[in-house]
Amino acid sequence: MRAELGNVPTRLVALGSATILSLAGVVVSTAGPASASGHRPTPGAAGLGDRLYPLLGNGGYDVQNYDLSLTYPQKDPAQQVTGDVTITAVATQYLSRFDLDFSGDAVGQVWVNGKRAAFVRSGEELVITPKKALPAHRKFTVRVAGFKATPIEANADSPAGFVKTPDGTIVAAQPDEAHGLFPNNDHPRDKATYTIRITNPVGWTGTANGVQVSTRQKNGKVVSVYRENHPMASELIQVAVGDFVTFSRGTVDGVPVRDVVPRRLADELLPKAADEVNEIRFMQSKVGKYPFENYGTLVIDATLGFALETQTLSLFDTWWYSLPEFVLNPVGAHELAHMWFGDSVAPYEWSDVWQNEGHATWYEYEYALETGVLPDYAGVDNLTDLYKAIYARGDERRARYGPTAAPLKADVIWDVFNPNVYDGGALVLYALQQKVGAAKFAQIERTWVSRYKDKSASTGDFIRLASQVSGQNLTAFLTDWLYGTKTPPMPGHPDWTVNPWPAPAGAQASTLAATTQRHR
């Protein structure tokens, strides 16, 4: 993600400051028959215990696949949509009941293993009690039919979720809004494959993550089916339905590329997305083969407040596309980099989001340098000066937002997606490169995205991998950089200093540029 702030792209700081409870079924007893070993079934946890979002996700099962169907009855971006979802999962305990995350309008009926199940709604939890307890380590299916959701206005101050635009609807779910559209296990620790089936009126287009496997037209409706065969976190889902046009750019270094834009703005927007071809070549040269089936850009006429790495189809609003190329293109590289860092390798918990944003910011700056726009983009001529300026604000940002791998809170989204996750995360990577050398650093990067492809990985996993690949024990070094409340010394730069914090009365933070930017 990269986010907007005010009327200008928020970029450097020295880099600027950042820059229901309703009854919906019959409750049945949660007690079940004793197992052969004498144990009784127990409820799955109502959350995965994420430090920042404790109730996000659910315990007791591991989702393998979502088969999601959504129906858009009319050509009306504000309309309520209906849907069915069949979830295939494996129980990780002997389950008497389990939760799904859902904050949409309504639920029709629920089946577990083909039999009607009781359910209640409690806040944003859909609590399901099957007729029979579910054995541990066994596969089961749950079908939620007739759920309903209504899109909302785009909101630049908070995550928007299921969003209406003048041309149709899209999804901007990061970090915790996918369950506003459909019931799911809404945490990146539980990735799954997806089949997404979209029914909409003729004249509208439906697009989703992955590859379109079929389309058919009947009785004034179009049914499009998309398949994402690579495990995907729920927060990365994209379903764009409306008066959009899809444009194919062909295949770039083995990657099919397609863009989706409002039909009425196609002539204006499509040429501006063309740099993604160069960005794909750049990223593959840095970290290896692109991890998914295809890539592309979705541009909408709304003010989201951010750009977002929805898997295989990065999301931008027209605000970004009003900016000069020296801003838009590095941000495009940032979102593309997320396909490796954040999408293919997802965070194990949201405190690990620096792995997403720090890496994407690293390659954003690298792309700006290699394409010759870094002076215009960041106000400096080289990356050394850039990271020196970021380093100077290290103590301030750790005090304001928390350590890089431990944001202080999640009261609002920008508490989590804060400058010490973006620039601070990139600074950690710079320190690591200085410590181990450029060749070992490049090997760490490639090994990270290869070893954890299609998985969720933690900060501890990164520290262990970096130590293994480098041949050095980096535990203390990276722990200080990622969890310390004070900025450690920068290897190779003993002269670098950190601005005093709290700042002396009347002191002004230096800036490298008058503009700053946030994007996820």
Side-chain angles (χ1 to χ4, degrees):
M1 172 188 287
R2 265 297 186 188
E4 304 161 11
L5 185 64
N7 296 318
V8 291
T10 75
R11 201 53 259 133
L12 293 183
V13 306
L15 291 129
S17 60
T19 12
I20 320 175
L21 175 64
S22 63
L23 185 66
V26 179
V27 181
V28 301
S29 172
T30 60
S35 69
S37 62
H39 296 296
R40 289 186 175 275
T42 56
L48 284 177
D50 189 286
R51 188 180 71 85
L52 295 170
Y53 300 97
L55 290 180
L56 201 59
N58 305 281
Y61 61 93
D62 178 19
V63 178
Q64 307 295 299
N65 183 73
Y66 292 92
D67 193 322
L68 175 63
S69 297
L70 297 168
T71 299
Y72 299 71
Q74 306 170 25
K75 293 181 180 179
D76 178 8
Q79 69 190 316
Q80 185 183 66
V81 304
T82 60
D84 301 324
V85 62
T86 298
I87 300 169
T88 304
V90 174
T92 57
Q93 68 184 67
Y94 189 16
L95 274 175
S96 59
R97 71 169 188 255
F98 60 93
D99 290 16
L100 295 174
D101 298 309
F102 184 58
S103 59
D105 300 341
V107 172
Q109 296 178 332
V110 178
W111 288 264
V112 176
N113 289 335
K115 297 181 178 181
R116 285 282 297 272
F119 64 94
V120 295
R121 296 188 66 184
S122 177
E124 297 187 359
E125 301 290 321
L126 176 61
V127 186
I128 299 171
T129 306
K131 286 186 178 296
K132 292 183 178 180
L134 303 173
H137 315 301
R138 299 284 291 274
K139 187 176 289 189
F140 70 94
T141 61
V142 54
R143 180 181 178 225
V144 183
F147 67 81
K148 299 180 180 181
T150 303
I152 62 175
E153 294 283 354
N155 182 351
D157 294 325
S158 66
F162 181 36
V163 177
K164 61 184 177 182
T165 78
D167 306 285
T169 64
I170 57 92
V171 186
Q174 192 181 79
D176 59 347
E177 295 294 320
H179 63 277
L181 173 60
F182 72 106
N184 64 83
N185 201 24
D186 201 2
H187 194 281
R189 191 179 306 173
D190 194 3
K191 301 175 72 174
T193 55
Y194 280 74
T195 296
I196 302 174
R197 186 174 293 97
I198 307 163
T199 301
N200 55 259
V202 171
W204 269 23
T205 299
T207 307
N209 313 87
V211 175
Q212 186 175 30
V213 295
S214 69
T215 182
R216 61 184 176 86
Q217 181 174 324
K218 184 178 181 181
N219 299 326
K221 303 291 184 183
V222 179
V223 180
S224 304
V225 180
Y226 286 79
R227 178 66 182 170
E228 177 50 89
N229 281 317
H230 290 273
M232 178 170 72
S234 53
E235 48 105 2
L236 300 173
I237 192 170
Q238 185 55 262
V239 186
V241 182
D243 191 14
F244 298 118
V245 61
T246 301
F247 176 76
S248 173
R249 296 191 186 275
T251 299
V252 179
D253 286 356
V255 183
V257 180
R258 86 312 193 181
D259 299 325
V260 180
V261 299
R263 188 180 307 277
R264 60 188 175 85
L265 300 176
D267 290 344
E268 173 188 350
L269 297 177
L270 285 172
K272 296 182 179 182
D275 191 64
E276 64 196 351
V277 170
N278 301 319
E279 296 156 19
I280 290 169
R281 293 180 177 130
F282 166 81
M283 281 304 304
Q284 291 200 132
S285 75
K286 296 297 183 182
V287 293
K289 184 179 179 182
Y290 179 75
F292 300 124
E293 303 93 338
N294 55 8
Y295 186 65
T297 298
L298 166 64
V299 188
I300 61 166
D301 189 13
T303 302
L304 287 175
F306 52 79
L308 184 63
E309 64 275 14
T310 48
Q311 191 159 310
T312 73
L313 192 64
S314 289
L315 172 65
F316 293 80
D317 61 25
T318 45
W319 183 87
W320 287 107
Y321 272 62
S322 70
L323 300 176
E325 288 183 1
F326 70 78
V327 175
L328 178 60
N329 294 346
V331 173
H334 177 110
E335 300 308 330
L336 173 61
H338 274 309
M339 297 300 119
W340 287 264
F341 302 96
D343 290 19
S344 179
V345 185
Y348 186 77
E349 64 178 7
W350 279 108
S351 293
D352 301 318
V353 72
W354 78 272
Q355 296 171 171
N356 304 21
E357 302 303 346
H359 279 99
T361 301
W362 173 270
Y363 291 104
E364 171 189 336
Y365 292 151
E366 290 279 338
Y367 191 73
L369 177 70
E370 294 197 12
T371 56
V373 302
L374 187 65
D376 290 328
Y377 187 55
V380 294
D381 294 328
N382 58 73
L383 294 178
T384 301
D385 288 346
L386 173 62
Y387 285 110
K388 183 178 181 180
I390 297 173
Y391 182 85
R393 295 194 68 177
D395 283 2
E396 173 194 348
R397 288 179 163 179
R398 288 169 187 257
R400 287 182 180 272
Y401 306 107
T404 305
L408 292 176
K409 56 185 179 178
D411 296 347
V412 298
I413 191 171
W414 308 124
D415 293 334
V416 180
F417 292 86
N418 68 69
N420 204 36
V421 161
Y422 287 81
D423 287 334
L427 185 68
V428 171
L429 297 175
Y430 182 82
L432 176 60
Q433 186 192 59
Q434 297 298 295
K435 178 74 170 177
V436 305
K440 282 294 184 183
F441 176 78
Q443 187 180 354
I444 289 169
E445 294 289 272
R446 286 177 173 264
T447 305
W448 175 251
V449 298
S450 174
R451 182 171 300 178
Y452 291 102
K453 181 180 179 180
D454 292 336
K455 298 180 177 68
S456 302
S458 69
T459 297
D461 292 326
F462 185 84
I463 294 172
R464 285 185 289 273
L465 181 140
S467 297
Q468 179 186 41
V469 173
S470 69
Q472 304 179 39
N473 186 345
L474 298 170
T475 303
F477 177 80
L478 285 173
T479 298
D480 285 348
W481 272 97
L482 289 162
Y483 294 104
T485 58
K486 294 293 183 180
T487 309
M490 178 59 71
H493 298 281
D495 58 317
W496 284 16
T497 59
V498 181
N499 296 338
W501 187 258
Q508 297 292 322
S510 62
T511 58
L512 294 177
T515 60
T516 60
Q517 72 196 6
R518 288 184 190 148
H519 38 285
R520 284 191 252 176

